[in-house]
Structures are given as C-alpha cells and as structure tokens.
C-alpha cells in the first residue's frame, strides 16, 4: 500500500496524517498526529496509530524541531517515512492568490511564489512555508505538493469574483474574491453525484461547509459559480469567532468613534466575534446547552447564524436557477441536526422537505436527510480534507 504524508502547518502547531490515497472518506488514516505549542516551554506531540494514542511532552523550539520529533515518533512506531511506501508529501497551503488555481509540485520557485502571496494571507502563508521548507529539508527524496485552500475557486465567473471596489486600487492590491475551504468544497461536491449515481455535469449543488470556520458555495456541473468567503476567510457566513459579512462602514465607525486601531479591529472581527462574540461560547454543543438553559444571548446568536445562512442559501438558489442538492459538511454541518433543520425549515414551497427522523438519526456515513419525494435532495457528507490533499498530491507526484 502507498501512502502520502499530509502536513497542515499552522503558526504554533503542525497537524499531520499518513493517508492511503485510495481509501474512502470514512476510513481512518494510518497515522494522525498533532504537534502543539511550538515555541512555548510546554510543547506537546501526540500521535494516534492502530487505535493507540502516544503522547510526549517536551519543549518544541520551532517547526523544524516539531517535524523532526514527529518523524522520530513515526520511526519508533515502525511507520516512518523509510519504513512504509511513502510516495509524496502534501502540504495544505492557504492562499494561492491568482498564481495557483490547482495543486502544484513544490520547487524553490514555487516556494518563492507562495512567499510573494504573504500579503494576502499574513497569518497563514508564513506558517505554511515554514512547514514546507522544513519538510523538504527532512524528506528531500520525496515529491512535495502544495494544495491550496483557494484552488477550487480560481476560475469563479468574473462577476462573482470581482468586488465593486475602484478598479485601479483593486488591481494594484490583488483584491478579488478568492474563496477558501476549496479542498473541502471540491471533495464534498465530488462525492455527491457518486452517492446519487448521477453524472457530475448534471447536478446543481449548494455545499454548506459549517465548521468553526464556515463557508458555502454554489456549484454548477462540477464548477463553482460563487462562494461566500472572499479576499480573506473573514467574509460570508457567521462563524465560531468571525463576523462573516458585515457593513464595512463598521470599521470606520470603530476607528473614528471607539478609537480602535486596525490591529484591534482585526482581532475583534476574527477572534472575538461570531457565535462566541454574541454568546460567550463558540462550540455549538455549548451553544445549544445555553439555549436550553434559557440564555437569550445564545438564542439570538443561533438565530443570527441561521438568518445569515438562509440569506446565502436563498441567493445561491437564484444563482443556480435550479438546485438539485444541498449538502451539509464539517463539524457543525455533519453533527448538528438542529442547525440543519433550522437552515431549511419552511422551504417546502421550494421543493425542500427535510425528513425529521432522517435528519436526527445519528450516523457518520454520507446520507440523504430529505423525504423520498423532496425535489431537492439534502445530504450530509463528511468532509475529509486530508484525504483530498493526499489524493491530489498522489496525482501530481505520479505525473
Ligand atoms: P470543524 O472546524 O469542522 O472541526 O468543526 C468544529 C465545530 O463543530 C465545533 O466548534 C462545534 O461547534 C461543532 N461540532 C463538533 N461536534 C459537534 C456535535 N456533536 N454537535 C454539534 N456541533 C458539533
């Protein structure tokens, strides 16, 4: 069996998995691991292999130290890079800008191009580059592949990708809608026609990726025609801690009236807003517990979330003209029947009839949750971004 090492390198953590690209979305990876608190005195690495979790606590100076430790841990478990048939390393990379519309074999030039895109993703691309450089040093004999979060949306129609911002300013600063969670939207929208036994070219889809970050997309015949995230992953739906779409005038108001700096407003919108900013919690399990206790703020947070979600569903129904499927995925979308029910309540006139029992039945498999006579088929399809990255990386490595 051949495997791909999938690396998701963040600013203070590295998530990694060893994945068989021929596996299915619900298969567990051979290995999954997490290096945490890089640069802090109390670093931690945990690796799960064959159902067993192995932990080790020690200071982890930097990404190099973290990845070295991860490789040593894999070696000690007998699944190190030279002990298994590892065919590629896939790197989750957040921003491909207008340079990359698909996965790419990493060369020095590609690293330089990803570096050039740092202004578009100042928090994410530098951490991704750290992971890429260290992994290329540690595993030089393997093909390394960058898979971009923005990739799937590179060919959005111009009218959907263009903001009504002064053209010269927009062009000079690469301002356009890029979209994110592309690996998930592509993976899930690729599964749907297979589940229904239909040809991808004939299915008009709405995909709702509702996790801690959340985004939705409208997909016609396999290609996205619109998506809710924009230049940055702050736009669109209400999220765990992010605002989603708001009046941009709020920025000027906070700057002028509240005397807040741009750095403070950035933190407010990205980390102290969304469900957490409205209710104090960002996990939907905690949110529902608070609603059950009669907490009004939690109830309002849920209602704001659902209202925004329905705005997008409605606008994508119009954009697509005819909708065949609506698919829920990611942490909230896969697990929270209350969110799914509220998002699509009362839409029978639009041909959407959710079956309450199918919706509520606990199940980890891809499934349909509408009645048999619902015109629009609503599905829950678990996403698996690591598997998608592994598949793309294996494809590129084989070229
Ligand atoms: P993700 O970013 O896709 O990993 O999603 C994480 C989020 O999914 C958490 O913050 C929760 O809000 C939500 N979530 C996870 N499990 C459940 C569950 N069983 N019920 C409701 N929400 C859940």
């Amino acid at each position: 069996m051949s495997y791909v090492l999938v690396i998701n390198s963040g600013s203070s953590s590295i998530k990694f998995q060893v994945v068989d690209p021929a596996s299915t979305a619900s298969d567990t990876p051979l290995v999954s691991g997490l290096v945490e608190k890089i640069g802090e005195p109390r670093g931690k690495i945990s690796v799960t292999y064959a159902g067993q979790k192995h932990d080790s606590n020690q200071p982890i100076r930097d990404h190099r130290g973290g990845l070295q430790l991860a490789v040593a841990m894999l070696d000690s478990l007998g699944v190190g890079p030279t002990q298994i048939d590892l065919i590629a390393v896939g790197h989750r990379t957040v921003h491909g800008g207008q340079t990359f519309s698909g996965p790419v074999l990493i060369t020095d030039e590609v690293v330089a191009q990803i570096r050039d895109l740092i202004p578009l993703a100042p928090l994410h691309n530098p951490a991704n580059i750290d992971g890429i450089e260290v992994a290329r040093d540690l595993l030089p004999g393997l093909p390394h592949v960058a898979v971009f979060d923005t990739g799937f949306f590179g060919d959005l129609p111009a009218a959907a990708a263009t903001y009504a911002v002064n053209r010269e300013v927009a062009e000079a600063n690469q301002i356009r809608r890029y979209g994110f969670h592309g690996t998930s939207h592509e993976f899930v929208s690729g599964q749907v026609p297979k589940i229904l036994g239909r040809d991808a070219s004939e299915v008009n889809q709405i995909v709702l990726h509702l996790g801690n970050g959340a985004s939705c997309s409208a997909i016609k015949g396999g290609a996205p025609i619109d998506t809710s995230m924009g230049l940055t992953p702050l736009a669109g739906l209400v999220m765990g801690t992010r605002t989603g779409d708001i009046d941009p005038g709020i920025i000027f108001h906070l700057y002028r009236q509240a005397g807040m700096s741009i750095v403070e407003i950035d933190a407010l919108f990205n980390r102290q807003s969304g469900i957490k900013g409205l209710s104090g919690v960002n996990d939907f399990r905690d949110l529902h517990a608070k609603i059950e206790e009669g907490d009004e703020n939690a109830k309002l947070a849920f209602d704001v979330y659902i209202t925004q979600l329905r705005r997008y569903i409605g606008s994508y129904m119009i954009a697509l003209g005819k909708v065949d499927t609506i698919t829920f995925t990611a942490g909230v979308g896969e697990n929270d029947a209350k969110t799914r029910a509220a998002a699509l309540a009362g839409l029978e006139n639009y041909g959407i009839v959710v079956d309450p029992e199918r919706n509520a039945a606990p199940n980890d498999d891809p499934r349909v949750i509408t009645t048999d006579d619902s015109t629009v088929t609503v599905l829950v399809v678990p996403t698996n971004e690591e598997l998608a990255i592994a598949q793309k990386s294996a494809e590129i490595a084989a070229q």
Side-chain angles (χ1 to χ4, degrees), residues 209-213 282-285 288 330-332 335-336:
H209 175 109
L210 310 179
N212 210 6
N282 69 348
D283 190 301
F284 271 60
R285 287 161 287 197
H288 290 306
V332 178
N335 296 300
D336 191 0

Side-chain angles (χ1 to χ4, degrees), residues 9 12 51 69 81 83 98 106 124 126 170 173 195 215 230 233 248 265-266 275 282 293 306-307 312:
S9 172
S12 65
L69 209 58
Q83 297 163 315
Q98 292 176 69
I106 298 174
H124 293 105
N173 293 284
I195 293 165
S215 62
I265 298 171
D266 189 327
I275 293 293
N282 69 348
E293 289 162 12
I306 294 296
T307 300
Y312 268 94

Side-chain angles (χ1 to χ4, degrees), residues 32 34 36 50 67 93 150 160 190 198 202 205 214 222 312 324 380 384:
S32 62
L34 174 64
E36 287 175 277
L67 215 51
T93 312
T150 49
R198 294 178 65 177
E202 61 181 37
Q205 308 190 35
Y312 268 94
D324 298 298
V380 178
N384 191 331

